[in-house]
Amino acid sequence: MTVINATTGEVLRELTTDLSKDYQPTATPKDPPQKRNSSNLQPQVRAISMSCDITPSG
């Protein structure tokens, strides 16, 4: 297998697969990744007070 940069065409890596090996996992992971619950995703908002008067002079 050859990994090539799509923009420049530069060869990044040359990889060889050993066909005598089974690369598939043998069991389920002990701690599968936690799925994000979209209902828990809320924007983080923080109010910051102004440190000086920004009224235009004029």
Side-chain angles (χ1 to χ4, degrees), residues 13-33:
R13 285 187 120 174
E14 292 279 345
L15 304 169
T16 304
T17 303
D18 184 352
L19 299 178
S20 66
K21 291 186 178 181
D22 182 9
Y23 290 100
Q24 299 302 314
T26 57
T28 58
K30 293 180 182 178
D31 292 325

